[in-house]
Amino acid sequence: MPWADSLLEIWGEPLFVQPVYSGGAVMGWLALRLPSVPLPHSEEAFAAMFCDLAGSAFYREKRVSMMAEANRMLDEAAKGVVGILGHALAMKDPYTVGHQINVANLAQAMAKRGGYDETFQETVYYAGLVHDLGKITIPSSILSKPGILSEIEFSIIRNHALYGWEILSSADLPWPLADIVIQHHEHIDGSGYPFGLKGDAICREARFLSVADVVEAISSDRPYRPGLGIGKALGEIRENRGSWYDPEASDLCMEVIGDGFAFDTENYKLFIQ
């Protein structure tokens, strides 16, 4: 211990030196300059207790750091899973993936505008990225049909929220995406689907997605019609604010768009080769 020789030169003898162990390894040393020797047993016991506590603190800090790194890796893995699911849908229906990206961005902007914390913002964003994932089970002939859907075809489309829940509920993710996805077509007056939930029975994240989803769908091009424009989309929200759509989410959406938010049309080209 070269540092001990330096201490002896500065302090002289006698010295009391004791290692600080943490996790079986020496993490530091306690060095005391003594007025006399030997050190009383009570003080020696106190010094040993101090070293034990210091070692425990070092070990706890190390464990916290390791847990933080493990959580970061799990979080990145979860985001990777969401990305994989999005790419899987892109192979079936690139249009829907572009729609999902736009909805995710709008829902996140609404949450940020409303002062919601980063966890909520992240949750609505990743829920938006996969909210139509269940459409991967819908025949392409229905998804890409240029004309108006028949009643049977529309009933098949409506099942996509259930199919999305089935897919997402099998994955262990840090966000309740399955529950949000299955509720994003519910209306606060109970007229939505698949369960006819009302008011607060619909999770707040799904209420945000419901508004973002409708605004993006109306304003953008669809396989069966050209986009109707943001004015028409906001008119739909104003007309059904408080009946179909959550008032807070509706107001935040209109404020965000009023502040200049615009959908990125390039998102529809990301997965088209």
Side-chain angles (χ1 to χ4, degrees):
M1 296 181 293
W3 57 265
D5 295 335
S6 298
L7 276 181
L8 283 172
E9 291 180 8
I10 298 171
W11 286 355
E13 295 184 354
L15 290 179
F16 175 84
V17 179
Q18 181 159 324
V20 176
Y21 289 98
S22 180
V26 176
M27 297 296 293
W29 299 83
L30 173 66
L32 301 174
R33 182 183 182 186
L34 302 180
S36 61
V37 291
L39 187 68
H41 291 301
S42 59
E43 295 182 12
E44 186 174 351
F46 181 80
M49 183 184 300
F50 174 84
C51 289
D52 287 343
L53 289 173
S56 297
F58 284 135
Y59 187 62
R60 180 180 180 278
E61 183 178 352
K62 182 179 180 181
R63 288 188 62 187
V64 168
S65 177
M66 292 173 61
M67 289 177 63
E69 177 62 15
N71 288 335
R72 185 194 66 78
M73 293 176 64
L74 287 172
D75 189 50
E76 290 301 317
K79 293 174 181 177
V81 169
V82 173
I84 290 170
L85 293 174
H87 279 74
L89 179 57
M91 297 177 69
K92 173 78 175 287
D93 182 21
Y95 171 87
T96 296
V97 178
H99 165 70
Q100 290 189 140
I101 294 172
N102 281 336
V103 169
N105 288 332
L106 176 56
Q108 185 180 46
M110 290 161 55
K112 184 175 182 179
R113 171 79 181 198
Y116 285 87
D117 61 26
E118 290 185 7
T119 298
F120 186 89
Q121 293 179 39
E122 186 176 74
T123 301
V124 294
Y125 177 76
Y126 283 103
L129 288 182
V130 292
H131 74 276
D132 278 341
L133 178 62
K135 288 183 178 179
I136 200 170
T137 66
I138 308 298
S140 298
S141 59
I142 296 177
L143 283 179
S144 303
K145 184 177 179 179
I148 297 175
L149 297 175
S150 69
E151 186 175 337
I152 293 177
E153 290 169 333
F154 185 64
S155 67
I156 293 173
I157 286 282
R158 283 165 62 105
N159 284 330
H160 77 275
L162 286 166
Y163 297 145
W165 180 88
E166 289 177 359
I167 296 169
L168 292 167
S169 62
S170 65
D172 186 11
L173 299 170
W175 321 280
L177 301 190
D179 292 334
I180 299 169
V181 165
I182 201 173
Q183 295 180 15
H184 80 277
H185 280 297
E186 300 285 1
H187 294 156
I188 61 174
D189 65 358
S191 63
Y193 65 88
F195 303 124
L197 301 178
K198 292 183 178 182
D200 291 340
I202 307 167
C203 67
R204 190 176 302 276
E205 295 89 344
R207 284 180 266 160
F208 273 59
L209 279 191
S210 176
V211 172
D213 181 38
V214 168
V215 169
E216 207 284 340
I218 292 177
S219 61
S220 302
D221 293 338
R222 310 295 282 179
Y224 51 87
R225 58 141 177 86
L228 301 179
I230 195 65
K232 181 73 172 179
L234 293 182
E236 161 71 15
I237 297 303
R238 291 191 190 97
E239 181 179 350
N240 293 292
R241 177 189 181 278
S243 56
W244 286 9
Y245 310 118
D246 179 80
E248 180 194 22
S250 299
D251 293 343
L252 289 172
C253 179
M254 289 185 281
E255 290 172 14
V256 165
I257 292 176
D259 286 343
F261 178 92
F263 295 117
D264 187 353
T265 57
E266 293 299 312
N267 287 335
Y268 284 91
K269 302 176 183 178
L270 290 177
F271 298 95
I272 300 175
Q273 303 299 322

